[in-house]
Amino acid sequence: MVIQDLFTAARKIVFKFGSSTLAGEDGTMNTVFLNEFAGQTADFIKQGKRVVIVSSGAQVAGLSIMDKWARKKDIHYRQALCAVGQVQLMEAWRKVFEPHGCHIAQILLTQDDFNDPIRTLNMRNTLFTLIDEGIIPIINENDTVSVEEIKIGDNDTLAAQSAILWSADLLVLFSDIDGLYSKNPKEFPDAQPIEEVRDIDQVRKDISMGAVSDFGTGGIATKLDAAQRASSYGIPTILAHGGRPRCLEALSAGRQKGTVFFS
Ligand code: ADP
């Protein structure tokens, strides 16, 4: 019921997708998912809601055409792979939104952009202009220029920062699990779901956090950090499974479970 209420009340929503949602089991882009999600987002927009997407997946998309780079660990190759993949990623998003008459825009950011007040103001103005014009901004980290010092590092944090920048009403982190558990549900079948979190510091002490998936970057720890960051600005966060059938509709109708982090 709570998730349903949050969706009903929210007008400005940030959706974040991890690579594990955007990649299918074979490691290639999950176009079935993208199609389904675009249709549901377009319905949301028709209801008067406004949407920003934070999308990982540049590496996955890059590997779908540069598979010979799969084993190259050199940083320049990783960044080159993201540069190639970012085009594929945006093309995939563009294609699925086009039939619904929705235009998309690419925004690539680094931590430097959030640290500099003038850049932050410019980002904010561009974001608001795009959204006012009915365009869906799709944000990702600018991996080509991101060396360690200016790296945000994971898109959970980027999503929280974007939600704060836009003064969003709700942040939704889609992953490949149905929310937060007492321990990693992929390793421990007896892990208990936690549907509501009001004290993130306490929950960090109460749960155990397992390893990160193949394509994932931050694991559950960065999701908790992101929820905490958003909640300090009064923005609630939902962590839910992006791979469930028609997940947006299901969540907003109260049919799908997840974890709510209250602000
Ligand atoms: P994404 O790519 O969607 O951002 P990640 O792979 O980075 O996802 O992080 C999500 C993963 O965190 C889950 O697939 C899960 O296996 C793992 N995980 C570890 N500990 C927990 C926990 N306590 N509750 C839920 N998930 C956990």
Side-chain angles (χ1 to χ4, degrees):
M1 190 61 191
V2 177
I3 290 183
Q4 189 177 8
D5 294 343
L6 284 172
F7 268 96
T8 307
R11 204 183 81 87
K12 298 162 76 176
I13 312 179
V14 174
F15 295 118
K16 180 261 171 178
F17 299 101
S19 306
S20 31
T21 310
L22 295 171
E25 302 220 320
D26 58 353
T28 60
M29 291 291 286
N30 187 346
T31 43
V32 174
F33 165 77
L34 288 178
N35 258 313
E36 199 180 272
F37 183 78
Q40 295 172 82
T41 306
D43 288 343
F44 255 49
I45 292 172
K46 280 189 206 124
Q47 292 164 27
K49 299 197 188 293
R50 295 292 168 257
V51 168
V52 167
I53 294 174
V54 176
S55 175
S56 309
Q59 281 212 30
V60 175
L63 283 174
S64 65
I65 56 166
M66 298 302 287
D67 55 341
K68 61 183 180 196
W69 287 1
R71 273 187 298 274
K72 291 204 186 282
K73 298 285 174 240
D74 174 77
I75 180 75
H76 300 305
Y77 269 99
R78 303 313 300 176
Q79 290 181 319
L81 186 62
C82 289
V84 172
Q86 185 63 29
V87 180
Q88 303 300 315
L89 181 64
M90 294 309 285
E91 176 60 5
W93 279 116
R94 192 193 65 73
K95 263 196 196 141
V96 295
F97 274 115
E98 193 174 41
H100 303 283
C102 299
H103 295 300
I104 60 159
Q106 169 183 264
I107 301 187
L108 296 175
L109 302 173
T110 65
Q111 187 55 48
D112 252 10
D113 300 317
F114 286 99
N115 296 344
D116 180 316
I118 301 206
R119 287 191 192 196
T120 305
L121 186 65
N122 285 335
M123 273 147 59
R124 204 166 178 274
N125 289 341
T126 307
L127 199 63
F128 274 86
T129 305
L130 288 167
I131 295 158
D132 285 350
E133 290 294 331
I135 295 165
I136 304 169
I138 303 192
I139 302 177
N140 197 3
E141 174 136 38
N142 192 351
D143 292 301
T144 314
V145 297
S146 278
V147 288
E148 214 46 61
E149 301 77 59
I150 57 163
K151 221 182 181 141
I152 299 168
D154 69 89
N155 275 355
D156 298 315
T157 306
L158 176 59
Q161 287 180 311
S162 306
I164 293 163
L165 183 77
W166 184 37
S167 308
D169 303 316
L170 181 62
L171 169 63
V172 184
L173 303 175
F174 282 113
S175 188
D176 61 347
I177 27 130
D178 284 295
L180 184 68
Y181 287 77
S182 54
K183 44 193 169 178
N184 187 354
K186 290 197 186 145
E187 284 175 54
F188 303 98
D190 64 334
Q192 294 300 313
I194 302 170
E195 287 187 20
E196 288 185 17
V197 177
R198 288 176 193 274
D199 182 343
I200 297 176
D201 285 329
Q202 187 57 46
V203 96
R204 271 199 202 92
K205 292 179 197 146
D206 294 345
I207 65 161
S208 75
M209 307 185 213
V212 179
S213 62
D214 282 357
F215 279 112
T217 40
I220 207 71
T222 54
K223 289 168 187 44
L224 295 181
D225 294 347
Q228 192 157 37
R229 207 183 261 261
S231 88
S232 69
Y233 282 80
I235 305 169
T237 300
I238 295 170
L239 173 61
H241 202 313
R244 299 274 173 246
R246 304 196 67 78
C247 58
L248 257 190
E249 278 170 18
L251 285 166
S252 55
R255 290 196 306 270
Q256 186 180 327
K257 292 200 167 176
T259 302
V260 180
F261 299 88
F262 286 96
S263 55

Short mmCIF file of all heavy atoms in Angstrom, two decimals, residues 154-219:
data_model
loop_
_atom_site.label_atom_id
_atom_site.label_comp_id
_atom_site.label_asym_id
_atom_site.label_seq_id
_atom_site.Cartn_x
_atom_site.Cartn_y
_atom_site.Cartn_z
N ASP A 154 29.31 5.10 -9.12
CA ASP A 154 28.17 4.19 -9.27
C ASP A 154 26.93 5.02 -9.55
O ASP A 154 26.84 6.17 -9.11
CB ASP A 154 27.98 3.37 -8.00
CG ASP A 154 27.51 4.24 -6.87
OD1 ASP A 154 26.30 4.41 -6.71
OD2 ASP A 154 28.38 4.80 -6.16
N ASN A 155 26.00 4.44 -10.27
CA ASN A 155 24.84 5.21 -10.69
C ASN A 155 23.75 5.33 -9.63
O ASN A 155 22.81 6.10 -9.81
CB ASN A 155 24.27 4.64 -11.99
CG ASN A 155 25.01 5.21 -13.20
OD1 ASN A 155 25.86 6.09 -13.05
ND2 ASN A 155 24.68 4.72 -14.38
N ASP A 156 23.89 4.59 -8.53
CA ASP A 156 22.94 4.81 -7.42
C ASP A 156 23.17 6.22 -6.86
O ASP A 156 22.23 6.98 -6.67
CB ASP A 156 23.15 3.77 -6.31
CG ASP A 156 22.90 2.36 -6.82
OD1 ASP A 156 21.90 2.15 -7.52
OD2 ASP A 156 23.73 1.47 -6.55
N THR A 157 24.44 6.55 -6.62
CA THR A 157 24.79 7.88 -6.12
C THR A 157 24.40 8.94 -7.15
O THR A 157 23.82 9.98 -6.80
CB THR A 157 26.31 7.95 -5.84
OG1 THR A 157 26.64 6.87 -4.99
CG2 THR A 157 26.71 9.27 -5.20
N LEU A 158 24.72 8.68 -8.41
CA LEU A 158 24.37 9.64 -9.47
C LEU A 158 22.85 9.88 -9.50
O LEU A 158 22.39 11.01 -9.68
CB LEU A 158 24.87 9.12 -10.83
CG LEU A 158 24.52 9.95 -12.06
CD1 LEU A 158 25.06 11.38 -11.96
CD2 LEU A 158 25.06 9.29 -13.34
N ALA A 159 22.09 8.81 -9.31
CA ALA A 159 20.62 8.93 -9.33
C ALA A 159 20.14 9.78 -8.15
O ALA A 159 19.26 10.63 -8.31
CB ALA A 159 19.98 7.54 -9.28
N ALA A 160 20.75 9.56 -6.98
CA ALA A 160 20.36 10.36 -5.81
C ALA A 160 20.73 11.82 -6.04
O ALA A 160 19.92 12.72 -5.77
CB ALA A 160 21.04 9.82 -4.55
N GLN A 161 21.91 12.07 -6.56
CA GLN A 161 22.33 13.45 -6.82
C GLN A 161 21.41 14.12 -7.85
O GLN A 161 21.08 15.29 -7.73
CB GLN A 161 23.78 13.48 -7.31
CG GLN A 161 24.76 13.18 -6.19
CD GLN A 161 26.21 13.22 -6.66
OE1 GLN A 161 26.55 12.62 -7.68
NE2 GLN A 161 27.06 13.91 -5.96
N SER A 162 21.01 13.35 -8.86
CA SER A 162 20.11 13.89 -9.89
C SER A 162 18.74 14.19 -9.30
O SER A 162 18.12 15.21 -9.62
CB SER A 162 19.96 12.89 -11.05
OG SER A 162 21.23 12.55 -11.54
N ALA A 163 18.26 13.30 -8.43
CA ALA A 163 16.95 13.50 -7.79
C ALA A 163 16.98 14.78 -6.95
O ALA A 163 16.03 15.56 -6.96
CB ALA A 163 16.60 12.29 -6.93
N ILE A 164 18.09 15.00 -6.27
CA ILE A 164 18.23 16.19 -5.43
C ILE A 164 18.30 17.45 -6.31
O ILE A 164 17.62 18.44 -6.07
CB ILE A 164 19.48 16.07 -4.52
CG1 ILE A 164 19.26 14.94 -3.51
CG2 ILE A 164 19.79 17.39 -3.82
CD1 ILE A 164 20.53 14.43 -2.84
N LEU A 165 19.09 17.35 -7.37
CA LEU A 165 19.24 18.49 -8.30
C LEU A 165 17.90 18.92 -8.87
O LEU A 165 17.63 20.11 -9.05
CB LEU A 165 20.18 18.06 -9.44
CG LEU A 165 20.55 19.10 -10.48
CD1 LEU A 165 21.59 20.06 -9.91
CD2 LEU A 165 21.10 18.43 -11.73
N TRP A 166 17.05 17.95 -9.17
CA TRP A 166 15.76 18.21 -9.83
C TRP A 166 14.64 18.44 -8.80
O TRP A 166 13.52 18.75 -9.17
CB TRP A 166 15.44 17.01 -10.73
CG TRP A 166 14.21 17.11 -11.55
CD1 TRP A 166 13.70 18.22 -12.18
CD2 TRP A 166 13.30 16.04 -11.86
NE1 TRP A 166 12.55 17.89 -12.85
CE2 TRP A 166 12.28 16.58 -12.67
CE3 TRP A 166 13.26 14.68 -11.54
CZ2 TRP A 166 11.23 15.80 -13.17
CZ3 TRP A 166 12.22 13.91 -12.02
CH2 TRP A 166 11.21 14.47 -12.83
N SER A 167 14.96 18.27 -7.51
CA SER A 167 13.94 18.28 -6.44
C SER A 167 12.83 17.28 -6.75
O SER A 167 11.64 17.64 -6.76
CB SER A 167 13.33 19.66 -6.24
OG SER A 167 14.30 20.62 -6.09
N ALA A 168 13.21 16.06 -7.03
CA ALA A 168 12.24 15.01 -7.36
C ALA A 168 11.38 14.67 -6.14
O ALA A 168 11.76 14.95 -5.01
CB ALA A 168 12.99 13.77 -7.84
N ASP A 169 10.23 14.06 -6.41
CA ASP A 169 9.35 13.62 -5.31
C ASP A 169 9.67 12.19 -4.90
O ASP A 169 9.30 11.75 -3.81
CB ASP A 169 7.88 13.65 -5.75
CG ASP A 169 7.46 15.03 -6.23
OD1 ASP A 169 7.83 16.01 -5.56
OD2 ASP A 169 6.78 15.11 -7.27
N LEU A 170 10.30 11.45 -5.82
CA LEU A 170 10.51 10.02 -5.56
C LEU A 170 11.70 9.51 -6.38
O LEU A 170 11.86 9.89 -7.54
CB LEU A 170 9.23 9.25 -5.97
CG LEU A 170 9.19 7.74 -5.76
CD1 LEU A 170 9.32 7.38 -4.28
CD2 LEU A 170 7.87 7.17 -6.30
N LEU A 171 12.51 8.67 -5.74
CA LEU A 171 13.63 8.02 -6.44
C LEU A 171 13.35 6.52 -6.44
O LEU A 171 13.06 5.94 -5.39
CB LEU A 171 14.94 8.31 -5.69
CG LEU A 171 16.18 7.52 -6.08
CD1 LEU A 171 16.59 7.78 -7.52
CD2 LEU A 171 17.36 7.86 -5.15
N VAL A 172 13.41 5.91 -7.62
CA VAL A 172 13.17 4.46 -7.70
C VAL A 172 14.42 3.79 -8.26
O VAL A 172 14.84 4.09 -9.38
CB VAL A 172 11.95 4.13 -8.59
CG1 VAL A 172 11.66 2.63 -8.56
CG2 VAL A 172 10.71 4.90 -8.15
N LEU A 173 15.03 2.92 -7.45
CA LEU A 173 16.21 2.19 -7.89
C LEU A 173 15.76 0.80 -8.33
O LEU A 173 15.28 0.01 -7.50
CB LEU A 173 17.22 2.07 -6.74
CG LEU A 173 17.71 3.37 -6.09
CD1 LEU A 173 18.60 3.07 -4.89
CD2 LEU A 173 18.46 4.25 -7.10
N PHE A 174 15.88 0.52 -9.62
CA PHE A 174 15.53 -0.81 -10.11
C PHE A 174 16.78 -1.68 -10.15
O PHE A 174 17.81 -1.28 -10.71
CB PHE A 174 14.93 -0.74 -11.51
CG PHE A 174 13.51 -0.29 -11.52
CD1 PHE A 174 13.15 0.92 -12.08
CD2 PHE A 174 12.51 -1.08 -10.97
CE1 PHE A 174 11.84 1.34 -12.10
CE2 PHE A 174 11.19 -0.68 -10.98
CZ PHE A 174 10.85 0.54 -11.54
N SER A 175 16.67 -2.86 -9.57
CA SER A 175 17.79 -3.79 -9.60
C SER A 175 17.27 -5.18 -9.95
O SER A 175 16.17 -5.31 -10.51
CB SER A 175 18.49 -3.76 -8.24
OG SER A 175 19.68 -4.51 -8.30
N ASP A 176 18.03 -6.21 -9.64
CA ASP A 176 17.59 -7.57 -9.97
C ASP A 176 17.18 -8.33 -8.71
O ASP A 176 17.28 -9.54 -8.65
CB ASP A 176 18.71 -8.31 -10.73
CG ASP A 176 19.96 -8.45 -9.90
OD1 ASP A 176 20.08 -7.77 -8.86
OD2 ASP A 176 20.84 -9.25 -10.29
N ILE A 177 16.78 -7.59 -7.69
CA ILE A 177 16.26 -8.19 -6.46
C ILE A 177 15.01 -7.41 -6.04
O ILE A 177 14.86 -6.26 -6.41
CB ILE A 177 17.28 -8.13 -5.30
CG1 ILE A 177 18.21 -6.93 -5.51
CG2 ILE A 177 18.07 -9.41 -5.13
CD1 ILE A 177 18.37 -6.08 -4.38
N ASP A 178 14.15 -8.05 -5.23
CA ASP A 178 12.87 -7.42 -4.87
C ASP A 178 12.99 -6.46 -3.69
O ASP A 178 12.00 -6.22 -3.01
CB ASP A 178 11.83 -8.49 -4.57
CG ASP A 178 11.31 -9.12 -5.85
OD1 ASP A 178 10.66 -8.41 -6.63
OD2 ASP A 178 11.57 -10.31 -6.08
N GLY A 179 14.17 -5.93 -3.46
CA GLY A 179 14.33 -4.98 -2.37
C GLY A 179 15.50 -5.37 -1.50
O GLY A 179 16.36 -6.17 -1.89
N LEU A 180 15.51 -4.79 -0.31
CA LEU A 180 16.57 -5.06 0.65
C LEU A 180 16.21 -6.30 1.46
O LEU A 180 15.05 -6.51 1.81
CB LEU A 180 16.71 -3.85 1.57
CG LEU A 180 17.83 -3.89 2.61
CD1 LEU A 180 19.19 -3.82 1.94
CD2 LEU A 180 17.67 -2.74 3.61
N TYR A 181 17.21 -7.11 1.76
CA TYR A 181 17.01 -8.33 2.56
C TYR A 181 17.96 -8.33 3.75
O TYR A 181 18.95 -7.60 3.77
CB TYR A 181 17.26 -9.57 1.70
CG TYR A 181 16.18 -9.86 0.69
CD1 TYR A 181 16.09 -9.13 -0.48
CD2 TYR A 181 15.22 -10.87 0.92
CE1 TYR A 181 15.09 -9.37 -1.41
CE2 TYR A 181 14.23 -11.12 -0.01
CZ TYR A 181 14.16 -10.37 -1.17
OH TYR A 181 13.17 -10.63 -2.07
N SER A 182 17.69 -9.22 4.67
CA SER A 182 18.56 -9.34 5.85
C SER A 182 19.97 -9.79 5.45
O SER A 182 20.95 -9.51 6.13
CB SER A 182 17.95 -10.34 6.83
OG SER A 182 17.70 -11.56 6.17
N LYS A 183 20.06 -10.51 4.33
CA LYS A 183 21.36 -10.91 3.76
C LYS A 183 21.15 -11.12 2.26
O LYS A 183 20.00 -11.05 1.79
CB LYS A 183 21.93 -12.15 4.44
CG LYS A 183 20.94 -13.26 4.69
CD LYS A 183 21.53 -14.30 5.65
CE LYS A 183 20.45 -15.25 6.10
NZ LYS A 183 20.93 -16.31 6.98
N ASN A 184 22.24 -11.33 1.54
CA ASN A 184 22.13 -11.44 0.09
C ASN A 184 21.18 -12.59 -0.31
O ASN A 184 21.51 -13.76 -0.11
CB ASN A 184 23.52 -11.67 -0.51
CG ASN A 184 23.50 -11.61 -2.04
OD1 ASN A 184 22.43 -11.50 -2.65
ND2 ASN A 184 24.68 -11.66 -2.64
N PRO A 185 20.03 -12.27 -0.93
CA PRO A 185 19.06 -13.33 -1.26
C PRO A 185 19.56 -14.30 -2.32
O PRO A 185 19.05 -15.41 -2.43
CB PRO A 185 17.85 -12.53 -1.77
CG PRO A 185 18.38 -11.21 -2.19
CD PRO A 185 19.57 -10.94 -1.33
N LYS A 186 20.59 -13.87 -3.07
CA LYS A 186 21.11 -14.78 -4.11
C LYS A 186 21.98 -15.87 -3.51
O LYS A 186 22.14 -16.93 -4.09
CB LYS A 186 21.89 -13.99 -5.14
CG LYS A 186 20.98 -13.12 -5.98
CD LYS A 186 21.69 -12.70 -7.22
CE LYS A 186 20.86 -11.72 -8.01
NZ LYS A 186 21.69 -10.73 -8.66
N GLU A 187 22.55 -15.58 -2.34
CA GLU A 187 23.39 -16.58 -1.68
C GLU A 187 22.63 -17.35 -0.62
O GLU A 187 22.92 -18.51 -0.34
CB GLU A 187 24.59 -15.90 -1.00
CG GLU A 187 25.68 -15.46 -1.94
CD GLU A 187 26.73 -14.69 -1.16
OE1 GLU A 187 27.26 -15.22 -0.16
OE2 GLU A 187 27.02 -13.55 -1.56
N PHE A 188 21.65 -16.65 0.00
CA PHE A 188 20.94 -17.26 1.14
C PHE A 188 19.43 -17.29 0.90
O PHE A 188 18.78 -16.25 1.00
CB PHE A 188 21.22 -16.45 2.42
CG PHE A 188 22.68 -16.33 2.75
CD1 PHE A 188 23.39 -15.19 2.39
CD2 PHE A 188 23.34 -17.37 3.40
CE1 PHE A 188 24.74 -15.08 2.68
CE2 PHE A 188 24.69 -17.25 3.69
CZ PHE A 188 25.39 -16.11 3.33
N PRO A 189 18.88 -18.46 0.59
CA PRO A 189 17.45 -18.55 0.32
C PRO A 189 16.58 -18.17 1.52
O PRO A 189 15.43 -17.82 1.36
CB PRO A 189 17.23 -20.03 -0.04
CG PRO A 189 18.58 -20.60 -0.27
CD PRO A 189 19.59 -19.74 0.41
N ASP A 190 17.15 -18.20 2.72
CA ASP A 190 16.35 -17.85 3.91
C ASP A 190 16.44 -16.35 4.25
O ASP A 190 15.96 -15.93 5.30
CB ASP A 190 16.79 -18.69 5.12
CG ASP A 190 18.23 -18.40 5.53
OD1 ASP A 190 19.02 -17.98 4.64
OD2 ASP A 190 18.56 -18.58 6.71
N ALA A 191 17.03 -15.55 3.35
CA ALA A 191 17.12 -14.10 3.60
C ALA A 191 15.71 -13.51 3.73
O ALA A 191 14.81 -13.86 2.97
CB ALA A 191 17.86 -13.42 2.45
N GLN A 192 15.54 -12.62 4.71
CA GLN A 192 14.22 -12.04 4.97
C GLN A 192 14.09 -10.67 4.30
O GLN A 192 14.96 -9.82 4.47
CB GLN A 192 14.03 -11.85 6.49
CG GLN A 192 13.98 -13.12 7.29
CD GLN A 192 12.82 -14.01 6.84
OE1 GLN A 192 11.70 -13.55 6.68
NE2 GLN A 192 13.12 -15.28 6.60
N PRO A 193 12.98 -10.44 3.56
CA PRO A 193 12.80 -9.12 2.96
C PRO A 193 12.51 -8.05 4.01
O PRO A 193 11.87 -8.35 5.03
CB PRO A 193 11.58 -9.30 2.04
CG PRO A 193 10.88 -10.50 2.57
CD PRO A 193 11.88 -11.36 3.26
N ILE A 194 12.99 -6.85 3.75
CA ILE A 194 12.72 -5.72 4.66
C ILE A 194 11.92 -4.70 3.84
O ILE A 194 12.43 -4.12 2.89
CB ILE A 194 14.05 -5.09 5.15
CG1 ILE A 194 14.90 -6.16 5.85
CG2 ILE A 194 13.80 -3.89 6.07
CD1 ILE A 194 16.31 -5.72 6.16
N GLU A 195 10.65 -4.53 4.19
CA GLU A 195 9.78 -3.71 3.33
C GLU A 195 9.86 -2.22 3.63
O GLU A 195 9.60 -1.41 2.75
CB GLU A 195 8.33 -4.20 3.43
CG GLU A 195 8.17 -5.52 2.70
CD GLU A 195 6.75 -6.00 2.59
OE1 GLU A 195 5.82 -5.18 2.74
OE2 GLU A 195 6.56 -7.20 2.38
N GLU A 196 10.22 -1.86 4.85
CA GLU A 196 10.28 -0.44 5.20
C GLU A 196 11.55 -0.15 5.97
O GLU A 196 11.91 -0.89 6.88
CB GLU A 196 9.11 -0.07 6.10
CG GLU A 196 7.79 -0.04 5.36
CD GLU A 196 6.66 0.47 6.26
OE1 GLU A 196 6.93 1.09 7.32
OE2 GLU A 196 5.51 0.23 5.88
N VAL A 197 12.23 0.93 5.61
CA VAL A 197 13.42 1.34 6.36
C VAL A 197 13.26 2.80 6.75
O VAL A 197 13.03 3.66 5.90
CB VAL A 197 14.70 1.16 5.50
CG1 VAL A 197 15.92 1.66 6.26
CG2 VAL A 197 14.90 -0.29 5.11
N ARG A 198 13.35 3.06 8.03
CA ARG A 198 13.27 4.45 8.50
C ARG A 198 14.61 4.92 9.04
O ARG A 198 14.87 6.11 9.10
CB ARG A 198 12.19 4.59 9.57
CG ARG A 198 10.80 4.49 8.94
CD ARG A 198 9.66 4.52 9.92
NE ARG A 198 8.44 4.11 9.25
CZ ARG A 198 7.64 4.92 8.58
NH1 ARG A 198 7.91 6.20 8.49
NH2 ARG A 198 6.56 4.45 7.97
N ASP A 199 15.47 3.96 9.45
CA ASP A 199 16.77 4.34 10.00
C ASP A 199 17.86 3.58 9.24
O ASP A 199 18.12 2.40 9.50
CB ASP A 199 16.78 3.98 11.50
CG ASP A 199 18.08 4.40 12.19
OD1 ASP A 199 19.08 4.65 11.48
OD2 ASP A 199 18.08 4.45 13.43
N ILE A 200 18.47 4.27 8.27
CA ILE A 200 19.42 3.58 7.38
C ILE A 200 20.70 3.20 8.12
O ILE A 200 21.26 2.13 7.89
CB ILE A 200 19.69 4.43 6.11
CG1 ILE A 200 18.37 4.57 5.34
CG2 ILE A 200 20.75 3.79 5.22
CD1 ILE A 200 18.42 5.45 4.11
N ASP A 201 21.14 4.04 9.05
CA ASP A 201 22.35 3.71 9.82
C ASP A 201 22.13 2.40 10.59
O ASP A 201 23.01 1.54 10.64
CB ASP A 201 22.69 4.83 10.81
CG ASP A 201 23.30 6.02 10.09
OD1 ASP A 201 23.96 5.80 9.06
OD2 ASP A 201 23.09 7.16 10.55
N GLN A 202 20.95 2.26 11.16
CA GLN A 202 20.64 1.06 11.94
C GLN A 202 20.59 -0.17 11.02
O GLN A 202 21.14 -1.22 11.34
CB GLN A 202 19.29 1.25 12.67
CG GLN A 202 18.95 0.11 13.63
CD GLN A 202 20.03 -0.11 14.70
OE1 GLN A 202 20.51 0.85 15.29
NE2 GLN A 202 20.43 -1.35 14.88
N VAL A 203 19.94 0.00 9.84
CA VAL A 203 19.78 -1.16 8.95
C VAL A 203 21.15 -1.64 8.44
O VAL A 203 21.35 -2.84 8.25
CB VAL A 203 18.78 -0.83 7.81
CG1 VAL A 203 19.45 -0.36 6.54
CG2 VAL A 203 17.89 -2.03 7.52
N ARG A 204 22.09 -0.72 8.27
CA ARG A 204 23.45 -1.11 7.85
C ARG A 204 24.06 -2.07 8.88
O ARG A 204 24.79 -2.98 8.54
CB ARG A 204 24.35 0.12 7.73
CG ARG A 204 24.32 0.74 6.37
CD ARG A 204 25.54 1.64 6.18
NE ARG A 204 25.24 2.59 5.14
CZ ARG A 204 24.73 3.80 5.32
NH1 ARG A 204 24.49 4.24 6.54
NH2 ARG A 204 24.46 4.58 4.30
N LYS A 205 23.75 -1.82 10.15
CA LYS A 205 24.30 -2.69 11.22
C LYS A 205 23.55 -4.02 11.26
O LYS A 205 24.11 -5.05 11.62
CB LYS A 205 24.15 -2.00 12.58
CG LYS A 205 25.04 -0.78 12.73
CD LYS A 205 24.82 -0.14 14.10
CE LYS A 205 25.37 1.28 14.13
NZ LYS A 205 24.61 2.19 14.98
N ASP A 206 22.26 -4.00 10.89
CA ASP A 206 21.41 -5.18 11.05
C ASP A 206 21.55 -6.22 9.93
O ASP A 206 21.30 -7.39 10.14
CB ASP A 206 19.92 -4.78 11.12
CG ASP A 206 19.62 -3.96 12.36
OD1 ASP A 206 20.47 -3.97 13.28
OD2 ASP A 206 18.56 -3.31 12.40
N ILE A 207 21.90 -5.77 8.72
CA ILE A 207 21.92 -6.71 7.59
C ILE A 207 23.35 -7.09 7.23
O ILE A 207 24.29 -6.43 7.65
CB ILE A 207 21.23 -6.10 6.34
CG1 ILE A 207 22.02 -4.88 5.82
CG2 ILE A 207 19.78 -5.75 6.61
CD1 ILE A 207 21.69 -4.53 4.40
N SER A 208 23.48 -8.13 6.41
CA SER A 208 24.81 -8.37 5.83
C SER A 208 24.72 -8.15 4.32
O SER A 208 23.68 -8.39 3.70
CB SER A 208 25.31 -9.77 6.18
OG SER A 208 24.63 -10.71 5.41
N MET A 209 25.79 -7.62 3.77
CA MET A 209 25.78 -7.27 2.35
C MET A 209 26.72 -8.20 1.59
O MET A 209 27.90 -8.29 1.92
CB MET A 209 26.25 -5.83 2.15
CG MET A 209 25.46 -4.85 2.99
SD MET A 209 25.91 -3.17 2.62
CE MET A 209 25.70 -2.41 4.21
N GLY A 210 26.19 -8.85 0.57
CA GLY A 210 26.99 -9.80 -0.19
C GLY A 210 27.73 -9.15 -1.33
O GLY A 210 27.73 -7.92 -1.47
N ALA A 211 28.31 -9.97 -2.15
CA ALA A 211 29.14 -9.50 -3.27
C ALA A 211 28.30 -8.83 -4.36
O ALA A 211 27.08 -8.98 -4.40
CB ALA A 211 29.90 -10.66 -3.84
N VAL A 212 28.98 -8.13 -5.23
CA VAL A 212 28.33 -7.43 -6.35
C VAL A 212 28.23 -8.38 -7.54
O VAL A 212 29.10 -9.22 -7.75
CB VAL A 212 29.19 -6.19 -6.71
CG1 VAL A 212 28.61 -5.43 -7.87
CG2 VAL A 212 29.35 -5.28 -5.52
N SER A 213 27.15 -8.25 -8.32
CA SER A 213 26.98 -9.13 -9.48
C SER A 213 27.99 -8.79 -10.58
O SER A 213 28.66 -7.76 -10.51
CB SER A 213 25.55 -9.00 -10.02
OG SER A 213 25.35 -7.68 -10.46
N ASP A 214 28.04 -9.63 -11.63
CA ASP A 214 29.04 -9.49 -12.70
C ASP A 214 29.07 -8.08 -13.29
O ASP A 214 30.11 -7.48 -13.44
CB ASP A 214 28.72 -10.47 -13.83
CG ASP A 214 29.17 -11.86 -13.45
OD1 ASP A 214 29.76 -11.99 -12.36
OD2 ASP A 214 28.92 -12.79 -14.23
N PHE A 215 27.88 -7.58 -13.66
CA PHE A 215 27.82 -6.28 -14.31
C PHE A 215 27.58 -5.15 -13.32
O PHE A 215 27.78 -4.00 -13.63
CB PHE A 215 26.73 -6.26 -15.38
CG PHE A 215 27.17 -6.90 -16.66
CD1 PHE A 215 26.62 -8.09 -17.09
CD2 PHE A 215 28.16 -6.30 -17.43
CE1 PHE A 215 27.03 -8.67 -18.27
CE2 PHE A 215 28.58 -6.88 -18.60
CZ PHE A 215 28.02 -8.07 -19.03
N GLY A 216 27.10 -5.49 -12.13
CA GLY A 216 26.79 -4.46 -11.14
C GLY A 216 28.06 -3.76 -10.69
O GLY A 216 29.16 -4.28 -10.82
N THR A 217 27.90 -2.55 -10.17
CA THR A 217 29.08 -1.82 -9.71
C THR A 217 29.07 -1.62 -8.21
O THR A 217 30.03 -1.91 -7.53
CB THR A 217 29.20 -0.45 -10.41
OG1 THR A 217 27.90 0.12 -10.50
CG2 THR A 217 29.84 -0.56 -11.75
N GLY A 218 27.95 -1.11 -7.70
CA GLY A 218 27.95 -0.69 -6.31
C GLY A 218 27.47 -1.73 -5.32
O GLY A 218 27.84 -1.69 -4.15
N GLY A 219 26.63 -2.66 -5.77
CA GLY A 219 26.03 -3.60 -4.84
C GLY A 219 25.00 -2.91 -3.96
O GLY A 219 24.58 -1.78 -4.26
#
